[in-house]
Amino acid sequence: LTASLATPTYQATALVSINEPNQRVLVYAYITYTLVFMAYTAINIPYGALLGVLSPKSIERTAASTFRFILAFAGGIFVSLCTEPLVKFFGGTKKEIIEGVEKLVPADPQTGWFWTVVCYAILAVILFTITFLTTKERVIPEQRKNTSLFQDLGDLVKNRPWIVLLFVGLFQILAGWTRGSATGYYFNYYVNSEFGQFVAMGMGAGIAGMFLTKPLTSIFGKKLLMILMNLSLAATTAALFFVGKEDTTLIYGLHLLGSFVSGPVPVLLWAMYADVADYGEWRNHRRATGLVFAAATFAQKLGGALGSAIPGWALAYYKFQQPLEDGTRATQSDETISGIIIMMSLLPALFLVFAALTMLFYNINKSLMETIESDLTARKARDGGDAS
């Protein structure tokens, strides 16, 4: 919920004019946006690391990760569909003529947004509390000995599969943020239609694809499946470059196909981080699940920062014209439109190909994972630990 709310905040911040009357508003927006993500990160690191200690079995963690992301995407759909109605409910409505069309808009958007976010915040606190009270850590480290942060970091940088996943996740985030940021411009200036339904339908297709994670993992294994999904998504994304703006059926079709095929990607990525924690314990006789997931989250945040900056740099390079002072869209040149199409298609596809190629260096396969699980179980049984 927090992540879903953050994107509109970022977009609203970017649209504030830097002039004297709005200077304090802009500063406030930056500060609160930063604090929201600091709080989100503080919660998300232990929440993500929890996946690594729910079960000692890799396939069970994959199943748990599946449910995690199915409900996460369901939360995203809920936010995307309910936010505007809630803002209008709390802020009231009025009629305005927007680009020649009469529309109902919030009469008091400040009040509407405030109480909408309050509702989401209360719901988030309730859900986080339920998670805390109803989960149990079942994976106990084989040895509880004190280690320094430098020792743990040293183990981490020597953990080859973690390094690989670090770059895979970085490339995937770059692709997602670049395309996600370009979507609004693509629909507003090229397709000339609303895009909320486009985003919601993609999330729905992604959820459908997530249900296939476990059976597909049993057939292909995590490594090969991750490579195939990244290449498939790259192909459907790149194909948008050749689709005309009038062919909305094909635009939606490619989006739904790519979202469905790549649905298991986030599920697998975070399940593989849990496997990496097992791998590190197997090699070093020390478990650092929290550090593995914290470092992974850092890479995700770095990718998000770069991914949000790249579209801005690209728009400047392609000479994007900002909206006029009254909010009217400026006419864009053919060069700018071509750049927006590239941001929506070829550029994210390139990042996805890089992710697939990087995945070739991942060295944990099904056979090795079975050996790791067996060895760790034997060690903990010998030491009197609980591996159940």
Side-chain angles (χ1 to χ4, degrees):
L1 291 173
T2 308
S4 300
L5 286 171
T7 302
T9 305
Y10 170 79
Q11 293 170 346
T13 300
L15 292 173
V16 174
S17 299
I18 304 179
N19 52 38
E20 193 61 34
N22 290 326
Q23 191 66 41
R24 284 182 295 179
V25 175
L26 185 61
V27 172
Y28 178 81
Y30 274 113
I31 291 174
T32 53
Y33 182 73
T34 301
L35 291 175
V36 164
F37 263 92
M38 288 177 64
Y40 174 70
T41 302
I43 293 172
N44 202 45
I45 289 175
Y47 172 68
L50 190 61
L51 181 64
V53 294
L54 287 178
S55 170
K57 298 183 182 299
S58 176
I59 193 65
E60 291 181 358
R61 293 195 297 256
T62 301
S65 183
T66 300
F67 285 106
R68 170 193 173 181
F69 280 98
I70 286 174
L71 293 177
F73 273 55
I77 294 175
F78 172 80
V79 169
S80 65
L81 295 179
C82 294
T83 297
E84 186 176 353
L86 284 173
V87 171
K88 291 178 178 179
F89 173 79
F90 289 116
T93 58
K94 64 180 180 180
K95 294 181 179 179
E96 278 190 6
I97 304 298
I98 301 177
E99 297 185 351
V101 179
E102 185 178 84
K103 295 184 178 181
L104 280 178
V105 299
D108 185 357
Q110 183 174 358
T111 299
W113 277 102
F114 175 80
W115 287 110
T116 298
V117 174
V118 166
C119 290
Y120 287 155
I122 292 173
L123 180 58
V125 169
I126 292 173
L127 294 175
F128 282 132
T129 303
I130 292 173
T131 301
F132 168 73
L133 294 174
T134 58
T135 52
K136 177 184 177 181
E137 296 184 22
R138 294 176 173 82
V139 177
I140 308 300
E142 60 176 283
Q143 296 184 39
R144 294 184 176 276
K145 57 184 180 182
N146 294 327
T147 58
S148 69
L149 176 61
F150 292 106
Q151 283 180 297
D152 290 338
L153 288 174
D155 291 343
L156 195 62
V157 297
K158 296 175 186 176
N159 191 321
R160 173 177 165 178
W162 178 82
I163 296 293
V164 171
L165 291 185
L166 184 74
F167 284 98
V168 170
L170 181 62
F171 286 132
Q172 289 177 346
I173 286 291
L174 286 174
W177 273 81
T178 300
R179 182 177 175 180
S181 299
T183 300
Y185 297 98
Y186 181 80
F187 275 85
N188 286 332
Y189 293 96
Y190 181 60
V191 181
N192 294 318
S193 69
E194 298 294 330
F195 62 94
Q197 187 180 22
F198 179 84
V199 175
M201 290 175 65
M203 289 184 179
I207 290 175
M210 288 176 187
F211 283 105
L212 300 178
T213 304
K214 188 174 180 179
L216 289 177
T217 300
S218 300
I219 297 172
F220 296 101
K222 293 179 183 177
K223 176 180 177 178
L224 179 58
L225 182 58
M226 181 69 87
I227 292 173
L228 293 175
M229 287 187 301
N230 276 282
L231 291 178
S232 298
L233 181 56
T236 58
T237 301
L240 282 174
F241 180 78
F242 305 98
V243 180
K245 62 181 180 180
E246 68 284 345
D247 200 348
T248 54
T249 300
L250 186 54
I251 291 173
Y252 273 80
L254 288 171
H255 178 56
L256 292 175
L257 178 60
S259 299
F260 175 77
V261 170
S262 63
V265 167
V267 175
L268 279 184
L269 181 63
W270 289 96
M272 292 167 84
Y273 278 125
D275 293 347
V276 166
D278 281 358
Y279 177 83
E281 182 181 11
W282 179 66
R283 285 194 56 187
N284 305 311
H285 293 264
R286 292 191 297 272
R287 189 174 187 88
T289 306
L291 184 60
V292 167
F293 280 86
T297 301
F298 172 80
Q300 299 280 310
K301 300 301 182 186
L302 177 61
L306 291 174
S308 60
I310 288 173
W313 295 334
L315 288 173
Y317 177 79
Y318 290 112
K319 301 178 177 61
F320 175 78
Q321 299 298 314
Q322 296 289 345
L324 304 178
E325 291 184 3
D326 61 358
T328 304
R329 297 174 192 165
T331 302
Q332 305 297 333
S333 66
D334 291 341
E335 178 188 6
T336 302
I337 297 299
S338 296
I340 291 173
I341 296 172
I342 290 173
M343 289 166 55
M344 186 70 177
S345 56
L346 298 183
L347 186 55
L350 181 63
F351 288 133
L352 290 168
V353 170
F354 286 156
L357 293 176
T358 304
M359 198 65 212
L360 293 173
F361 297 94
Y362 187 76
N363 61 326
I364 299 180
N365 54 31
K366 184 177 180 181
S367 175
L368 178 58
M369 199 65 230
E370 290 174 350
T371 299
I372 291 172
E373 290 179 1
S374 176
D375 288 352
L376 290 180
T377 300
R379 289 181 194 175
K380 291 168 185 176
R382 183 182 64 243
D383 296 338
D386 181 9
S388 63

